[in-house]
């Protein structure tokens, strides 16, 4: 650990969204405007470059692993309003495979295209988005732009979040919104998602109801329930409750996420005990994830944050030789400081520490696994740059 800290300190002097994925660059002058000195007076087209680039120093179980530069996120995005009724949005991750998923059901790349579709604003109370989009799952962190996340919980990190379908948004009141969403339950093939041995569902969809509430800007909620058809005779139930408190320059959120799956879609607990007799992921997986983050903007240019994650992973039912119960506990702990050098810009440099510890129960250790820990120190920058 001392070696990691020493290398990080050497490097620092030389380095110096209720729609999902809120825009950090909202209101920021675009690069086009800065270069041409011409103010862009229309909202028909915006082009954004999303960047998260860092220098990482990694350690595992007390041993130094590597030190490297890492372009964690590079996404390009275009969006705009055609008129008062129709809008469009497209976002693509450049460092992911762009080929359509083999045997996929939506003819779309499973991992590179996040969003591609049109919005229809029927009136002030009702709107729609049609196309590939982010699932309207609850949770405050889930609503953030991915470039802002230094480390996701296991549950969110292993989920398939960008799917094709339709989202219907109802503005119940100025500060309360209901979303009803229907999406394909997967982009990839059955074998990619669940392994072999399962019969494909004839209606492979996921249904989500999402409530976004705002109580005077002090307390906000993002709650959801989702029902997913995984394969014939197998379903997944997912509940996510996001709660956020903001007081002056202090902000904190607490996300509770629970998933009970007919098939272990994430594959985390299946990787512990092995696949089932048919070569597919195990049945009756169960995940509980608790995520809390607090941050304080103690200066207009400086922000400090801490974050903790606790996850229990196991099986909700016994299955043959597999016992019911918890198999792994995953802990995550983060702290960092962010520096915003430019006024009216979301560009920020960061120095963060990320620690993870994975603890296995005795029933899991019978399969040959053992506890382990990882540590990472990262220094870098994040910027949603408005190009036009």
């Amino acid at each position: 650990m001392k070696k990691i800290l020493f290398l990080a300190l050497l490097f620092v002097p030389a380095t110096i969204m209720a729609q999902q994925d809120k825009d950090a660059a909202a209101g920021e002058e675009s690069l086009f405007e800065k270069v041409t000195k011409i103010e862009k007076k229309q909202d028909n087209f915006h082009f954004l470059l999303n960047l998260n680039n860092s220098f990482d120093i990694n350690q595992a179980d007390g041993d130094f692993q590597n030190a490297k530069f890492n372009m964690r996120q590079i996404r390009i995005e275009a969006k705009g309003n055609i008129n008062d009724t129709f809008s469009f949005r497209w976002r693509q991750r450049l460092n992911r495979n762009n080929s359509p998923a083999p045997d996929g059901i939506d003819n779309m790349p499973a991992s590179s295209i996040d969003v591609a579709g049109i919005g229809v604003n029927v009136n002030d109370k009702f709107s729609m988005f049609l196309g590939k989009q982010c699932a309207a799952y609850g949770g405050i962190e889930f609503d953030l732009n991915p470039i802002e996340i230094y480390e996701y919980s296991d549950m969110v990190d292993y989920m398939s979040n960008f799917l094709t379908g339709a989202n219907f948004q109802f503005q119940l009141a100025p500060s309360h919104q209901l979303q009803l969403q229907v999406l394909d339950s997967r982009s990839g093939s059955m074998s990619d998602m669940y392994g072999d041995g399962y019969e494909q569902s004839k209606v492979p969809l996921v249904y989500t109801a999402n409530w976004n509430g705002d109580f005077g800007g002090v307390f906000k909620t993002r709650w959801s329930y989702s029902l997913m058809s995984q394969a014939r005779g197998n379903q997944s139930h997912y509940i996510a409750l996001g709660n956020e408190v903001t007081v002056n320059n202090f902000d904190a959120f607490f996300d509770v996420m629970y998933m009970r799956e007919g098939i272990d879609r994430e594959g985390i607990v299946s990787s512990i005990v092995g696949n089932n007799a048919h070569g597919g992921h195990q049945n009756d997986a169960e995940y509980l994830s608790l995520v809390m983050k607090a941050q304080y903007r103690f200066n207009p240019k400086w922000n400090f944050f801490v974050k903790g994650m606790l996850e229990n992973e196991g099986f909700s039912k016994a299955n043959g030789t597999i016992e019911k119960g918890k198999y792994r506990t995953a802990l995550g702990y983060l702290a960092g400081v962010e520096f915003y050098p430019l006024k009216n810009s979301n560009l920020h440099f960061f120095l963060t520490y990320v620690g993870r510890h994975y603890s296995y129960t005795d029933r899991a250790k019978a399969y040959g696994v053992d506890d382990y820990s990882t540590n990472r120190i990262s220094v870098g920058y994040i910027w949603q740059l408005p190009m036009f």
Side-chain angles (χ1 to χ4, degrees):
M1 188 65 194
K2 291 180 180 179
K3 188 173 183 179
I4 287 183
L5 289 170
F6 177 71
L7 287 172
L9 291 172
L10 284 178
F11 186 76
V12 171
T15 307
I16 311 283
M17 352 182 172
Q19 176 65 27
Q20 204 274 344
D21 297 344
K22 299 174 183 176
D23 283 336
E28 183 175 343
E29 188 180 33
S30 70
L31 185 60
F32 169 83
E33 294 171 293
K34 294 179 188 294
V35 172
T36 64
K37 306 300 181 184
I38 300 174
E39 182 181 356
K40 189 160 68 74
K41 297 181 180 296
Q42 45 75 32
D43 199 36
N44 293 351
F45 181 75
H46 297 276
F47 187 73
L48 303 166
L49 178 62
N50 296 272
L51 297 169
N52 181 325
N53 187 21
S54 65
F55 180 76
D56 300 337
I57 302 169
N58 297 288
Q59 181 192 66
D61 287 331
D63 294 327
F64 172 72
Q65 298 294 303
N66 55 54
K68 61 180 181 178
F69 290 94
N70 187 2
M71 181 62 77
R72 293 184 172 277
Q73 302 275 353
I74 176 168
R75 287 175 161 98
I76 52 176
E77 180 174 357
K79 63 181 180 179
N81 298 317
I82 303 303
N83 51 38
D84 292 339
T85 302
F86 295 101
S87 61
F88 67 92
R89 188 182 181 198
W90 161 72
R91 190 177 76 190
Q92 185 163 355
R93 188 168 179 176
L94 298 183
N95 50 356
R96 287 289 178 89
N97 182 17
N98 192 41
S99 300
D103 300 321
I105 60 177
D106 60 0
N107 198 33
M108 293 280 284
S111 59
S112 69
I113 295 181
D114 296 343
V115 182
I118 65 169
V120 182
N121 184 40
V122 179
N123 53 46
D124 292 340
K125 300 293 185 181
F126 176 62
S127 61
M128 299 178 286
F129 189 86
L130 311 173
K132 190 162 187 182
Q133 57 195 277
C134 186
Y137 298 143
I140 301 300
E141 184 170 78
F142 192 82
D143 193 40
L144 301 176
N145 190 313
I147 64 171
E148 298 286 348
I149 310 302
Y150 298 109
E151 185 85 355
Y152 277 112
S153 63
D154 280 350
M155 182 182 290
V156 175
D157 200 26
Y158 281 82
M159 288 172 65
S160 300
N161 303 324
F162 298 106
L163 303 164
T164 302
N167 188 330
F168 306 97
Q169 302 180 13
F170 303 86
Q171 202 65 39
L172 306 178
S175 56
H176 295 276
Q177 181 191 71
L178 174 67
Q179 296 185 41
L180 300 178
Q181 190 181 54
V182 182
L183 304 172
D184 288 333
S185 62
R186 55 185 173 83
S187 290
S189 66
M190 283 287 294
S191 60
D192 287 340
M193 297 301 302
Y194 307 116
D196 299 325
Y198 291 106
E199 182 180 349
Q200 180 171 308
S201 170
K202 292 185 178 181
V203 188
L205 299 176
V206 54
Y207 310 89
T208 295
N210 172 286
W211 168 54
N212 301 313
D214 187 341
F215 298 86
V218 177
F219 179 62
K220 297 179 182 179
T221 60
R222 187 173 175 83
W223 295 2
S224 73
Y225 167 74
S226 300
L227 173 65
M228 176 183 293
S229 174
Q230 297 182 292
R232 187 174 178 86
N234 291 278
Q235 295 178 329
S236 169
H237 301 267
Y238 179 50
I239 297 174
L241 306 175
N243 309 274
E244 182 179 25
V245 175
T246 303
V247 179
N248 297 324
N249 295 329
F250 175 80
D251 177 88
F253 70 77
F254 180 51
D255 290 340
V256 180
M257 297 167 284
Y258 174 75
M259 181 178 291
R260 178 173 286 193
E261 301 184 299
I263 309 173
D264 181 19
R265 185 182 179 97
E266 283 67 37
I268 297 175
V269 290
S270 293
S271 67
I272 298 173
V273 302
N275 288 333
N276 61 27
H278 301 289
H281 292 186
Q282 293 288 350
N283 296 96
D284 303 313
E286 186 175 42
Y287 296 92
L288 173 66
S289 178
L290 308 176
V291 179
M292 177 178 284
K293 181 181 179 182
Q295 58 184 356
Y296 178 57
R297 195 74 171 259
F298 59 90
N299 182 282
K301 290 189 174 183
W302 291 93
N303 184 58
F304 173 75
F305 71 88
V306 293
K307 178 181 173 182
M309 301 179 289
L310 171 64
E311 299 178 271
N312 289 329
E313 303 154 353
F315 293 99
S316 60
K317 296 179 182 178
N319 186 357
T321 59
I322 298 175
E323 298 179 20
K324 172 184 176 181
K326 182 172 66 175
Y327 278 66
R328 188 173 82 167
T329 297
L331 294 174
Y333 27 91
L334 295 79
V337 62
E338 300 168 329
F339 173 61
Y340 293 76
L342 302 177
K343 188 177 181 180
N344 300 322
S345 174
N346 71 94
L347 168 66
H348 50 289
F349 296 88
F350 62 82
L351 173 64
T352 63
Y353 164 75
V354 179
R356 303 299 300 262
H357 178 71
Y358 298 92
S359 176
Y360 295 88
T361 61
D362 290 340
R363 63 172 64 93
K365 289 181 178 180
Y367 291 88
V369 295
D370 203 359
D371 302 348
Y372 70 97
S373 299
T374 64
N375 298 281
R376 185 181 81 239
I377 287 181
S378 298
V379 57
Y381 65 86
I382 293 171
W383 198 2
Q384 186 182 57
L385 172 62
M387 304 290 289
F388 183 86

